[in-house]
Amino acid sequence: MKQVNSLLKFDPKNTQMLAQKQKVLTDSIDNTKKKLEALKQAQGEVERMFKTGEIGAKEYREFQRTVAETEQSLRTYESQLKRMDEEQEKMRKGMKELDT
């Protein structure tokens, strides 16, 4: 992602780079959703383990932090993709206006 963003700084209208960025974001969203789903499925077991003393408070907090970080990453990726989609729509409208 960093490499694509870096290249887009030099050529922000490069359609190939924009398509790559959109693919990377879509893949990141899919992967992050899967990770979050797995974490949420494990959450009940982690809470049970914490209550029974199988894991300590440190491990429990670390798990909760991982869930929160994953949720934040998902929101960030979705926000970036939404902004990208909005920019592409603006570009399409601008191109249509130029054609008329």
Side-chain angles (χ1 to χ4, degrees):
M1 175 75 86
K2 289 180 183 181
Q3 207 172 21
V4 172
N5 283 335
S6 177
L7 291 171
L8 280 170
K9 284 183 182 179
F10 295 110
D11 187 6
K13 297 198 187 304
N14 184 320
T15 56
Q16 288 180 330
M17 287 294 113
L18 289 170
Q20 283 185 16
K21 182 175 180 178
Q22 190 169 22
K23 171 112 176 72
V24 169
L25 283 171
T26 301
D27 291 347
S28 296
I29 288 169
D30 289 342
N31 292 335
T32 305
K33 281 182 179 179
K34 288 175 187 173
K35 179 180 178 180
L36 186 58
E37 185 178 313
L39 288 169
K40 297 235 179 204
Q41 287 178 353
Q43 193 162 13
E45 181 66 15
V46 170
E47 287 177 9
R48 183 198 63 76
M49 292 171 71
F50 177 64
K51 289 177 183 174
T52 61
E54 294 177 53
I55 61 171
K58 180 180 177 183
E59 291 84 6
Y60 181 74
R61 284 191 308 270
E62 187 175 309
F63 177 82
Q64 295 300 338
R65 204 169 25 257
T66 300
V67 171
E69 288 170 355
T70 304
E71 289 172 334
Q72 180 59 44
S73 292
L74 181 59
R75 285 190 297 271
T76 299
Y77 294 142
E78 288 174 334
S79 175
Q80 288 178 7
L81 185 59
K82 182 181 177 186
R83 281 194 309 267
M84 239 187 113
D85 289 343
E86 290 169 352
E87 286 297 319
Q88 286 178 341
E89 186 59 30
K90 286 179 187 176
M91 287 174 61
R92 278 188 213 107
K93 286 180 181 179
M95 295 300 287
K96 280 185 179 182
E97 289 176 7
L98 289 175
D99 286 343
T100 58

